[in-house]
């Protein structure tokens, strides 16, 4: 360890003595949800503060992205998400500069999938979860990581609070249900994005813990009993209404008899079927073209009969 430190100090002193600028160290790309930040460390340089310039290759020509900055990072989030990109950075002091340090970066392959956002609602013996895929910054429209990767799925882990035993489920939808849980028990849930076609997993979200509620579901036998009782009550009500209407009808029929009715002897005569048939055929068939005139018969009492009402009188027309 001491030998390595002496070698590093010796190299820095030799470069300073020769007027050479040491290049940036530990150059790396930190990319989360296509937020691409190129970072590095400033080398030891006794003459003063170094500045840095970072570039990216575009159509076989390098373009400046950050020029003569004091920071040790540069934002490359505007790069295309597809294809390989060559990036480089160097240190500068006055009119001198170090060698370029190059790295290759493919956003769609190398970016880290951030943790999804999650909402959890506790129900009776179950948890209802809703997921929100990570947002992508610097986009004209609100795009998420799910819009980029077609095979996007969610991996969910849940466990009883205080227990080390974890259970896992997977799904492609933005919601999920955890059923058949113990009532009035606290469960913790966390989720991550996963790409099956790339076998690539994202970062886990922070655990969200919720307590399930009491199961207030009505038992099935109670529901059937209530339904049967309701049907019986409805049937009894209908029968009661029927008999009530029948009684009212009978009372009204006796209280208000019809004004015109057939004589009793005619009713008895018509009640026999053979009498009705004979009465039907006793009427002669009428001709539709036959014309009838109305004839009125007027009787007149003679003058001689008026003083002696008891005497026999003849009628004349």
């Amino acid at each position: 360890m001491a030998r390595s430190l002496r070698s590093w100090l010796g190299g820095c002193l030799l470069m300073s003595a020769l007027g050479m600028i040491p290049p940036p160290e530990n150059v790396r790309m930190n990319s989360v949800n296509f937020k691409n930040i190129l970072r590095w460390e400033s080398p030891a340089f006794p003459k003063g503060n170094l500045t840095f310039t970072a570039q990216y290759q575009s159509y076989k020509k390098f373009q400046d992205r950050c020029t003569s900055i004091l920071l040790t990072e540069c934002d490359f989030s505007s790069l295309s998400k597809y294809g390989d990109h060559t990036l480089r950075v160097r240190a500068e002091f006055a009119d001198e500069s170090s060698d370029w340090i190059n790295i290759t970066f493919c956003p769609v392959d190398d970016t880290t999938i951030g943790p999804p956002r999650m909402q959890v609602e506790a129900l009776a013996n179950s948890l209802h979860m809703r997921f929100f895929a990570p947002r992508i910054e610097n986009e004209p429209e609100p795009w998420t990581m799910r819009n980029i990767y077609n095979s996007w799925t969610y991996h969910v882990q849940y466990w009883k609070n205080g227990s080390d035993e974890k259970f896992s489920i997977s799904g492609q939808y933005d919601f999920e249900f955890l059923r058949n849980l113990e009532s009035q028990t606290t469960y913790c849930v966390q989720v991550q994005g996963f790409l099956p076609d790339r076998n690539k997993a994202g970062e886990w979200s922070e655990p969200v813990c919720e307590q399930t509620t009491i199961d207030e579901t009505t038992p099935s036998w109670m529901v059937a009993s209530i339904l049967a009782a309701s049907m019986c009550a409805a049937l009894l009500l209908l029968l009661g209404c029927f008999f009530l209407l029948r009684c009212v009808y009978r009372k009204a029929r006796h209280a208000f008899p019809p004004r015109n009715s057939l004589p009793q002897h005619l009713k008895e005569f018509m009640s026999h079927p053979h009498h009705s048939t004979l009465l039907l055929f006793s009427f002669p068939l009428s001709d539709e073209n036959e014309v009838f005139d109305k004839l009125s018969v007027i009787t007149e009492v003679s003058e001689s009969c008026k003083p002696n009402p008891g005497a026999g009188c003849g009628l004349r027309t």
Side-chain angles (χ1 to χ4, degrees), residues 160-315:
K160 289 183 182 179
N161 191 22
S163 175
D164 295 332
E165 184 180 7
K166 295 185 177 182
F167 305 93
S168 301
I169 59 173
S170 299
Q172 295 182 344
Y173 300 103
D174 292 332
F175 57 89
E176 192 66 57
F177 284 94
L178 298 179
R179 297 181 174 86
N180 301 323
L181 303 178
E182 297 181 9
S183 60
Q184 292 185 306
T185 304
T186 300
Y187 287 86
C188 297
V189 185
Q190 61 181 172
V191 63
Q192 70 173 177
F194 181 72
L195 307 178
D197 58 344
R198 299 172 181 265
N199 195 24
K200 182 177 180 178
E203 298 177 344
W204 286 101
S205 65
E206 291 294 327
V208 177
C209 299
E210 291 287 343
Q211 182 178 2
T212 56
T213 59
I214 301 176
D215 187 7
E216 298 179 351
T217 305
T218 306
S220 57
W221 64 268
M222 186 176 295
V223 175
S225 301
I226 294 174
L227 181 61
S230 301
M231 293 179 64
C232 291
L235 180 60
L236 292 176
L237 181 62
L238 289 176
L239 290 176
C241 293
F242 172 75
F243 286 112
L244 179 61
L245 291 176
R246 185 176 181 183
C247 182
V248 171
Y249 172 72
R250 287 183 176 181
K251 296 291 184 181
R253 184 179 178 183
H254 290 291
F256 303 100
R259 295 181 178 180
N260 299 321
S261 61
L262 294 175
Q264 185 64 28
H265 66 281
L266 187 58
K267 291 181 179 180
E268 294 177 359
F269 179 81
M270 294 298 296
S271 63
H272 297 284
H274 62 280
H275 290 169
S276 301
T277 305
L278 292 175
L279 181 64
L280 177 63
F281 286 100
S282 63
F283 291 100
L285 296 176
S286 61
D287 190 359
E288 295 182 357
N289 298 325
E290 187 176 356
V291 179
F292 294 93
D293 292 329
K294 184 177 180 181
L295 176 64
S296 299
V297 179
I298 302 175
T299 60
E300 180 181 0
V301 180
S302 62
E303 295 294 333
S304 61
C305 292
K306 290 183 180 180
N308 301 317
C313 300
L315 299 179

Side-chain angles (χ1 to χ4, degrees), residues 89-121:
V89 61
R90 71 179 181 183
E92 300 167 342
F93 182 77
D95 295 334
E96 299 178 353
S97 61
S98 68
D99 294 334
W100 291 101
I101 303 298
N102 293 16
I103 65 168
T104 302
F105 171 64
C106 180
V108 74
D109 293 333
D110 300 334
T111 192
T112 300
I113 300 174
R117 189 165 58 89
M118 177 175 54
Q119 292 179 352
V120 181
E121 180 183 2

Side-chain angles (χ1 to χ4, degrees), residues 43-160:
F45 188 70
K47 291 185 178 181
N49 294 328
L50 295 174
T51 59
F52 303 92
T53 296
Q55 297 178 338
Y56 66 98
Q57 188 175 16
S58 175
Y59 300 104
K60 298 182 180 180
K61 181 180 179 181
F62 282 94
Q63 302 286 338
D64 289 337
R65 182 60 184 170
C66 299
T67 305
S68 301
I69 60 174
L70 294 173
L71 299 176
T72 56
E73 64 180 35
C74 184
D75 191 344
F76 284 89
S77 300
S78 59
L79 292 176
S80 172
K81 298 175 178 58
Y82 306 96
D84 293 331
H85 302 277
T86 300
L87 313 178
R88 66 182 186 179
V89 61
R90 71 179 181 183
E92 300 167 342
F93 182 77
D95 295 334
E96 299 178 353
S97 61
S98 68
D99 294 334
W100 291 101
I101 303 298
N102 293 16
I103 65 168
T104 302
F105 171 64
C106 180
V108 74
D109 293 333
D110 300 334
T111 192
T112 300
I113 300 174
R117 189 165 58 89
M118 177 175 54
Q119 292 179 352
V120 181
E121 180 183 2
L123 303 174
N125 295 343
S126 62
L127 293 177
H128 179 207
M129 301 170 295
R130 183 172 178 82
F131 310 124
F132 302 89
R135 291 281 301 272
I136 301 176
E137 298 183 9
N138 301 323
E139 290 290 340
E141 297 181 359
W143 274 37
T144 65
M145 298 292 284
R146 186 166 188 168
N147 298 119
I148 303 299
Y149 301 104
N150 295 327
S151 64
W152 180 272
T153 59
Y154 291 101
H155 278 182
V156 180
Q157 284 186 345
Y158 66 97
W159 64 93
K160 289 183 182 179

